[in-house]
Amino acid sequence: MRARSPLTVTSLVALLLVSVGSNPDPAAAGGADRLAPSFTLRTLDGKSFRLQEQRGRPVVLDFWATWCAPCRASMPHLDRLQERYTRDGLVVLGLSVDEDPPASVKRFAERLGIKFRLAMADEKLLDRYGPIRMLPTTFFINRRGEVVRRTVGYLDAETLDAYVRELF
């Protein structure tokens, strides 16, 4: 086996350090301690939801769509989490990226028996939390309002539960 020169190893380490440190958005990189962008919107049940009013409570934001099979599969898990951790202050908010009218999205969720809060994600919200390129994309926000985890794709019930417990 050929030995690597110290220059090659040093170059590889430097390249790795530059690439790891080059992402200014820790939440996009799965990092922690970035304040969640604030927003206010109307939920599908007509109530106002202000993220800044949730400070002191752990929050799960789930970007989803009715046509997304992994999203549909994870929604019952999110619903059970909301039920299980309501007394502990957990807030789950599903943010639909559908182009369908809100009434259609609400009917869809009702057919699934979903009880956690739902709202429509507008372009401004997508920009603030983006890029949202794949669904579902889920943000886990601690009691201090910091994004501690950003995931892309389906999460099973056990994984979701573990990530939520990290927020307390």
Side-chain angles (χ1 to χ4, degrees):
M1 178 186 273
R2 196 175 130 217
R4 298 201 188 271
S5 74
L7 183 58
T8 303
V9 172
T10 304
S11 299
L12 289 172
V13 170
L15 180 62
L16 178 63
L17 289 174
V18 168
S19 66
V20 168
S22 67
N23 189 342
D25 183 359
D33 302 332
R34 182 185 77 125
L35 281 180
S38 63
F39 64 87
T40 301
L41 46 72
R42 186 135 332 264
T43 61
L44 295 184
D45 62 1
K47 297 178 182 169
S48 180
F49 182 93
R50 292 175 41 117
L51 184 64
Q52 40 289 37
E53 289 176 356
Q54 308 309 313
R55 193 66 57 91
R57 303 175 79 185
V59 177
V60 176
L61 299 179
D62 185 59
F63 289 85
W64 69 286
T66 58
W67 46 262
C68 167
C71 300
R72 291 191 311 266
S74 67
M75 290 187 82
H77 305 321
L78 290 166
D79 204 50
R80 282 191 293 278
L81 281 175
Q82 180 65 82
E83 247 180 69
R84 182 178 304 132
Y85 294 107
T86 293
R87 288 189 200 134
D88 298 315
L90 179 68
V91 175
V92 176
L93 178 65
L95 296 161
S96 172
V97 300
D98 283 284
E99 293 180 11
D100 293 336
S104 293
V105 174
K106 185 176 181 181
R107 279 191 303 276
F108 175 84
E110 287 169 349
R111 281 195 307 273
L112 286 179
I114 301 305
K115 294 180 181 56
F116 64 87
R117 294 176 231 198
L118 298 171
M120 302 300 290
D122 58 18
E123 289 300 319
K124 183 178 173 184
L125 187 60
L126 290 170
D127 288 345
R128 297 191 87 188
Y129 279 85
I132 307 289
R133 294 192 177 117
M134 294 179 64
L135 297 174
T137 295
T138 309
F139 291 83
F140 297 83
I141 303 168
N142 67 19
R143 293 177 187 269
R144 292 180 304 280
E146 300 162 338
V147 175
V148 295
R149 185 179 302 275
R150 176 185 196 256
T151 64
V152 177
Y154 171 80
L155 294 172
D156 61 48
E158 293 78 24
T159 303
L160 274 169
D161 193 70
Y163 290 169
V164 165
R165 284 194 316 264
E166 290 175 356
L167 301 176
F168 293 104

